[in-house]
Amino acid sequence: MVDSDWGDWLVRAVEDADPDGLAVWYLGCNGFIVKSSGGTTAFIDPYLGIGDPPRTVRMVPVPFDAEDVAEADAVLATHEHVDHVHGPSQAPILANTGADFYSADAGLDVVDEEAWTEEWDVDAGQLNEVEEGDEFEVGDLTIHVEPANDPDAEHPVSYVIEHGDTTFFHGGDARPGDFEPVGEKYDVDVGVLAFGTVGMIDDKETGEPQRTRWYSDENMIVEAANELQLDTLVPTHWDMWKGMTTDPTVLHNHARSFPYPEDLEILQIGDRTDC
């Protein structure tokens, strides 16, 4: 179990918040908390682990302890990788709040492997399998499951979250390729896309450093933003792993000559933005 560097101030701030529409907090890596004006709270890809040092090393604080979360209605997972489906980060949230967990089949395979229903007080009825084309309600949020092009994942999905006239998009770690139909279907106000550099990461089998790409580079993320026709792009994951970090402000230059995104918002871990 990993202890938070910050105590419980962030989760208490979310609990105390009373947004007019949809408020979003960035948790570092690719994690978010979304809270609506009706009080519905959804976590997306919350990860509180430190990676697998020395191969993967967390470069940002652990923003809260999972056991400190007292209010949640849903936890959404975009794909099965450890920083997106992680028992110690997510199962205590389900156990403490009764929230439902939503993931594609590959993510639920991880849940089974980690024995969430045995290791934590999680009921099997809280675990929900989703696939592209699904739509479901969580409180006053309408959530659509859409495709995602992540060649490193077994079954990735993306999520479109609607609340009133506001639409929030989370693309997981996906790269451009599958988002054009999403951009045609929805008017996305704020979209989250993973961004990072190419780095030298130790191979799992040999331990030898290998040139590795996990996320979109500058040109790819702008291409994805144009597929989605984003009003506002929020780049993520650029802060997380040693050897993969980069400067998101460079995206101003790369996006300048394209119609989308219309705006670029740089969030740091713990920051709140209102859609």
Side-chain angles (χ1 to χ4, degrees), residues 63-140:
F64 59 87
D65 290 338
E67 291 81 0
D68 287 336
V69 177
E71 296 180 5
D73 298 289
V75 177
L76 312 178
T78 59
H79 61 288
E80 72 279 0
H81 290 167
V82 68
D83 51 339
H84 301 263
V85 178
H86 184 240
S89 299
Q90 298 163 3
I93 298 176
L94 306 184
N96 291 348
T97 66
D100 284 327
F101 180 77
Y102 297 89
S103 173
D105 50 1
L108 290 177
D109 289 343
V110 175
V111 171
D112 287 340
E113 292 166 7
E114 294 182 343
W116 288 19
T117 58
E118 299 170 23
E119 296 297 326
W120 294 274
D121 189 17
V122 175
D123 187 270
Q126 294 173 262
L127 307 175
N128 301 275
E129 182 176 334
V130 299
E131 61 182 13
E132 297 86 342
D134 285 352
E135 175 185 324
F136 56 94
E137 307 289 328
V138 176
D140 57 356

Side-chain angles (χ1 to χ4, degrees), residues 59 64 78 97 180 190 197 211-212 224 242 246 251 253 263:
M59 300 296 287
F64 59 87
T78 59
T97 66
E180 191 168 338
V190 177
T197 189
R211 188 178 188 276
T212 304
K242 184 176 178 62
T246 188
L251 295 178
N253 295 326
D263 188 32

Side-chain angles (χ1 to χ4, degrees), residues 5-29:
D5 301 295
W6 285 359
D8 66 352
W9 71 263
L10 181 57
V11 290
R12 300 289 88 85
V14 174
E15 291 171 11
D16 293 341
D18 185 19
D20 289 332
L22 198 64
V24 179
W25 289 261
Y26 181 42
L27 305 178
C29 194

